[in-house]
């Protein structure tokens, strides 16, 4: 799928989620499809289409912010590892964290902060830090080995100058690739956390949470689980298409 | 022999460092969490009087360093201690990991067949290659729990062929199918892309020019080169199996490692949580080391073959 179409669809979803306001009306619980409720109503009488759009936006925003935070953390750790003698500390920590499945790590980190939304965001960011850090550190190391960097170093440039003039412009480009390459994984990890109930007590209802609630009605109202699942699949599919196109173009 | 002993020593040292970091990390996180095992145990009866009585009886030192020293000593003597409810952790872990490993093994076998089926279908006709890539990308976009719920709806509710959960031989089929389709899709994409790259190489074009049947090229020459990287990828993917199994165990009510971790987490059982983390890290570390060995063997094998030519 065209990268521009994927971005346009994701942005449209994000903006619509800010407008959508599903309202609880228990008298309209499980109402049928109509002009007023194009996809029917939920168990609490909310318009299901608005609920889906609002939940999609919530999941997308948290995944986006989590991904951005993860990249900032890994940029910080890879740069400080380069400038200061902290490389082995970060490397050992990253190797240790890489042996734990990302989902287990996100579960552990879930209650790190008192505010539940920030806690969820932090858990997502830190759980993905190890992979991003190893990627960026390896890129810094490879870039440092290049002829022009070695020439600059041997002409008397210090590490800080090397970082500012040669490595940072390159790292910015790599961070962009890293963002798109692992964004689908962030969406999948976040939706899994929401499904397992780790997004409780947050201000938003994610798509994973809607699937978890909908599966209780799987026998007589399968659409309550299938429609959030479809929205989630479409979002992940769009981000996978983006990942492929953009990482090919940027590479 | 010297190379092998050096390799084993390096792996043993990295594993020891791993255990130390993981134990400290899990204890630190558990200490930072709001709530406690005592509140969870008392539930609605957590009035201050009863909480004070329990706190006196339950000696849980607040000191993180003390907890860490105690835990590390236990791990290095292969004693994971007891859960907060008094059960021995090691037998619990072994029972749970049998289920997770069995599920992972069955899924690995299914995914192997699915991946190579895609490879052979993609080799038969060129236009199938693109369609299979798109199908597998779509499968990869499906979150694992979505696939699981779809299979429950289809096979258990609509068709009533397989049970939706529990513990028994038939009850592994649906979770194994779900897990294997996800990892099989990754394997299929890897095989199809690798095949496309290998097809451009000189030796394959020479074989085509010599009139070698297409089936022979894909089934023998290409497959030989693809097999070892596939096994390495499979082994590296093991941690994804463990994470996927955790979600599926919750959906299909299988009492495996992931299910144990999530219930231990909600019950604030620090001992069990850190034991499960170390245990699952050990399994992942083992498979990654095996993948390293295979990757090195593959490198030596391809360098040797290149030199012989």
């Amino acid at each position: 799928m065209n990268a521009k179409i994927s971005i346009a669809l994701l942005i449209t979803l994000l903006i619509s989620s800010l407008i959508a306001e599903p309202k609880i009306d228990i008298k309209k619980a499980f109402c049928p499809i109509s002009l007023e409720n194009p996809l029917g109503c939920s168990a609490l009488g909310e318009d299901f289409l608005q609920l889906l759009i609002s939940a999609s936006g919530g999941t997308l925003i948290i995944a986006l912010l989590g991904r951005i935070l993860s990249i900032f953390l890994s940029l910080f750790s890879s740069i400080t590892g380069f400038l200061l003698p902290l490389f082995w500390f970060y490397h050992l920590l990253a190797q240790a964290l890489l042996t734990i499945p990302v989902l287990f790590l996100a579960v552990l980190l879930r209650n790190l902060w008192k505010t539940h939304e920030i806690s969820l965001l932090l858990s997502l960011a830190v759980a993905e830090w190890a992979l991003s850090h190893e990627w960026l550190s390896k890129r810094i190391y490879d870039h440092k080995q290049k002829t022009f960097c070695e020439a600059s170093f041997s002409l008397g440039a210090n590490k800080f100058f090397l970082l500012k003039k040669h490595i940072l412009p390159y790292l910015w480009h790599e961070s962009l690739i890293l963002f798109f390459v692992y964004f689908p994984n962030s969406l999948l990890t976040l939706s899994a956390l929401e499904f397992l109930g780790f997004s409780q007590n947050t201000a938003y209802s994610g798509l994973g949470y809607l699937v978890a609630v909908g599966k209780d009605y799987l026998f007589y109202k399968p659409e309550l689980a299938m429609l959030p699942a479809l929205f989630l699949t479409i979002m992940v599919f769009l981000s996978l298409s983006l990942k492929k196109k953009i990482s090919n173009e940027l590479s | 022999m010297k190379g092998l002993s050096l390799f084993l020593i390096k792996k043993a040292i990295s594993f020891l460092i791993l255990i130390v970091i993981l134990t400290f990390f899990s204890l630190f996180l558990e200490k930072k969490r709001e709530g406690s095992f005592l509140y969870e145990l008392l539930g609605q009866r957590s009035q201050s009087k009863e909480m004070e009585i329990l706190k006196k009886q339950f000696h849980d030192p607040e000191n993180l360093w003390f907890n860490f020293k105690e835990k590390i000593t236990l791990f290095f003597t292969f004693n994971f201690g007891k859960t907060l409810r008094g059960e021995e952790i090691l037998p619990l872990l072994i029972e749970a990991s049998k289920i997770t490993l069995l599920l992972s093994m069955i899924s690995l076998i299914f995914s192997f067949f699915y991946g190579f089926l895609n490879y052979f279908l993609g080799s038969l006709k060129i236009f199938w290659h693109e369609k299979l890539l798109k199908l597998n990308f779509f499968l990869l976009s499906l979150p694992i729990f979505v696939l699981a719920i779809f299979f429950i709806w289809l096979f258990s509710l609509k068709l009533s062929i397989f049970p939706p959960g529990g513990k028994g031989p038939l009850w592994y089929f649906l979770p194994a199918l779900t897990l294997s389709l996800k990892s099989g899709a990754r394997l299929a994409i890897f095989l199809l892309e690798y095949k496309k790259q290998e097809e451009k190489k000189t030796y394959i074009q020479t074989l085509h020019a010599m009139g070698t049947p297409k089936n022979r090229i894909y089934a023998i020459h290409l497959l030989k080169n693809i097999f070892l990287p596939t096994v390495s990828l499979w082994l590296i993917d093991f941690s994804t199996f463990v994470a996927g199994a955790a979600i599926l165990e919750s959906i299909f009510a299988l009492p495996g490692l992931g299910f144990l971790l999530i219930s231990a987490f909600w019950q604030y059982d620090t001992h069990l949580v850190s034991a499960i983390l170390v245990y699952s890290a050990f399994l992942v570390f083992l498979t990654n080391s095996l993948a390293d060995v295979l990757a090195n063997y593959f490198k030596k094998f391809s360098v040797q073959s290149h030199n012989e030519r």
Side-chain angles (χ1 to χ4, degrees):
Chain A
M1 186 180 266
N2 196 302
K4 288 179 189 168
I5 297 174
S6 304
I7 293 177
L9 282 169
L10 286 170
I11 291 174
T12 311
L13 201 58
L14 203 63
I15 294 171
S16 336
S17 69
L18 298 170
I19 307 166
E21 272 184 37
K23 290 193 176 82
I24 293 175
D25 184 358
I26 206 79
K27 290 176 197 158
K28 287 167 77 180
F30 303 117
C31 69
I33 294 171
S34 62
L35 274 172
E36 202 192 330
N37 306 110
L39 292 177
C41 299
S42 68
L44 292 172
E46 298 154 304
D47 175 38
F48 206 54
L49 181 62
Q50 288 200 43
L51 187 62
L52 282 175
I53 292 172
S54 163
S56 309
T59 302
L60 204 52
I61 290 170
I62 300 281
L64 264 169
L65 292 174
R67 192 77 212 113
I68 291 169
L69 188 60
S70 175
I71 290 188
F72 271 114
L73 284 174
S74 42
L75 268 172
F76 174 78
S77 58
S78 45
I79 289 170
T80 48
F82 174 73
L83 288 175
L84 306 166
L86 288 171
F87 173 78
W88 283 108
F89 166 71
Y90 286 131
H91 179 66
L92 285 171
L93 185 61
Q95 289 296 315
L97 294 182
L98 280 172
T99 53
I100 311 173
V102 171
L103 186 68
F104 283 18
L105 201 51
V107 161
L108 255 194
L109 294 161
R110 171 61 184 86
N111 283 350
L112 207 54
W113 208 261
K114 283 180 187 159
T115 318
H116 296 281
E117 291 83 358
I118 294 177
S119 200
L120 192 60
L121 201 63
L122 276 174
S123 75
L124 200 61
V126 176
E128 295 179 336
W129 165 80
L131 205 54
S132 308
H133 169 80
E134 290 292 288
W135 171 300
L136 287 173
S137 299
K138 176 92 178 44
R139 293 293 181 282
I140 290 177
Y141 179 77
D142 289 343
H143 199 69
K144 205 184 99 178
Q145 304 294 312
K146 288 187 176 162
T147 333
F148 63 91
C149 283
E150 287 202 335
S152 181
F153 198 63
S154 53
L155 284 170
N158 59 21
K159 271 186 172 177
F160 188 74
F161 182 85
L162 212 63
L163 182 78
K164 193 175 132 192
K165 290 288 179 188
H166 300 297
I167 294 177
L168 268 180
Y170 170 72
L171 266 190
W172 160 246
H173 179 262
E174 285 297 314
S175 305
L176 214 54
I177 297 179
L178 193 61
F179 176 85
F180 286 105
V181 164
Y182 288 111
F183 182 62
N185 293 51
S186 301
L187 269 175
L188 289 170
T189 307
L190 178 62
S191 59
L193 282 177
E194 288 165 357
F195 179 81
L196 290 169
F198 289 96
S199 65
Q200 276 176 21
N201 303 320
T202 54
Y204 83 105
S205 303
L207 284 173
Y209 176 71
L210 287 186
V211 174
V213 166
K215 80 170 168 48
D216 292 338
Y217 306 98
L218 201 59
F219 190 68
Y220 53 91
K221 280 263 173 191
E223 61 269 22
L224 289 182
M226 300 297 187
L227 285 172
L230 181 67
F231 265 61
L232 189 54
T233 309
I234 290 170
M235 261 171 40
V236 178
F237 185 74
L238 288 174
S239 52
L240 269 175
S241 324
L242 254 179
K243 161 187 164 177
K244 214 179 164 199
K245 296 273 182 232
I246 288 179
S247 49
N248 282 340
E249 280 174 29
L250 287 176
S251 301
Chain B
M1 199 62 203
K2 195 179 170 188
L4 180 66
S5 14
L6 206 62
F7 172 79
L8 287 171
I9 292 169
K10 272 188 195 168
K11 284 290 169 191
I13 293 172
S14 356
F15 185 65
L16 292 174
I17 296 171
L18 186 77
I19 300 270
V20 169
I21 294 173
L22 279 180
T23 313
F24 188 80
F25 190 69
S26 59
L27 282 173
F28 170 74
L29 288 175
E30 286 297 300
K31 290 287 176 205
K32 283 277 301 167
R33 275 178 74 188
E34 265 188 53
S36 73
F37 162 70
L38 297 177
Y39 277 108
E40 172 62 26
L41 192 63
L42 276 174
Q44 288 175 342
R45 294 182 300 129
S46 56
Q47 305 299 317
S48 53
K49 191 174 111 185
E50 277 142 336
M51 184 58 81
E52 285 308 313
I53 297 169
L54 255 187
K55 271 183 181 170
K56 280 180 194 161
Q57 291 178 6
F58 184 74
H59 301 291
D60 187 26
E62 290 294 314
N63 192 310
L64 175 65
W65 176 241
F66 181 85
N67 260 347
F68 172 68
K69 276 194 301 184
E70 186 192 34
K71 200 107 264 120
I72 279 290
T73 323
L74 284 176
F75 286 161
F76 285 127
T77 53
F78 295 100
N79 177 1
F80 287 97
K82 290 186 179 177
T83 67
L84 285 172
R85 281 163 175 78
E87 287 173 278
E88 285 287 333
I89 289 180
L90 193 57
L92 209 61
L93 280 181
I94 292 171
E95 276 308 307
S97 58
K98 278 183 198 168
I99 292 166
T100 304
L101 286 173
L102 180 62
L103 181 60
S104 304
M105 283 296 119
I106 299 171
S107 312
L108 268 172
I109 294 166
F110 282 4
S111 66
F112 181 84
F113 282 115
Y114 177 79
F116 279 94
L117 177 69
N118 275 262
Y119 167 78
F120 286 117
L121 285 174
S123 313
L124 281 175
K125 301 255 181 224
I126 303 296
F127 72 85
W128 279 3
H129 178 102
E130 290 304 317
K131 289 198 189 311
L132 285 169
L133 266 176
K134 284 186 181 155
L135 170 69
N136 287 301
F137 265 114
F138 173 72
L139 275 174
L140 220 53
S141 337
L142 281 172
I144 198 165
F145 55 88
V146 164
L147 209 51
I149 287 170
F150 175 72
F151 284 149
I152 290 176
W153 175 76
L154 182 65
F155 290 112
S156 304
L157 295 178
K158 285 288 169 193
L159 300 173
S160 307
I161 305 174
F162 296 106
K167 196 179 165 189
L170 255 188
W171 294 348
Y172 283 100
F173 183 79
L174 282 185
L177 180 68
T178 313
L179 200 51
S180 63
L181 273 179
K182 285 288 286 183
S183 58
R186 254 191 303 276
L187 182 64
I189 289 170
F190 171 76
L191 286 172
L192 290 167
E193 296 284 353
Y194 200 90
K195 177 179 79 78
K196 206 174 173 184
Q197 281 173 25
E198 286 288 298
E199 273 169 352
K200 294 175 187 164
K201 289 192 175 165
T202 328
Y203 76 99
I204 296 292
Q205 293 187 358
T206 313
L207 284 166
H208 276 299
M210 279 163 60
T212 314
K214 224 165 86 167
N215 294 344
R216 195 179 163 79
I217 295 174
Y218 288 115
I220 297 172
H221 298 278
L222 260 177
L223 199 61
K224 223 171 27 176
N225 289 335
I226 280 173
F227 194 72
L228 274 172
T230 307
V231 177
S232 298
L233 173 79
W234 226 15
L235 288 169
I236 290 167
D237 219 16
F238 183 74
S239 62
T240 335
F241 273 106
V242 175
I247 303 172
L248 293 176
E249 283 160 15
S250 305
I251 299 173
F252 293 99
L254 290 168
L257 268 181
F259 188 76
L260 200 61
L261 174 72
I262 289 166
S263 43
F265 177 80
W266 287 122
Q267 290 163 15
Y268 294 84
D269 197 334
T270 327
H271 305 282
L272 190 52
V273 168
S274 45
I276 294 172
L277 271 189
V278 167
Y279 191 79
S280 56
F282 168 69
L283 293 174
V284 173
F285 182 81
L286 206 64
T287 48
N288 284 349
S289 306
L290 207 58
D292 276 341
V293 167
L294 271 172
N296 283 330
Y297 173 73
F298 172 65
K299 234 193 257 179
K300 275 188 197 161
F301 176 74
S302 52
V303 165
Q304 232 172 6
S305 311
H306 180 78
N307 289 341
E308 277 165 15
R309 279 186 229 134

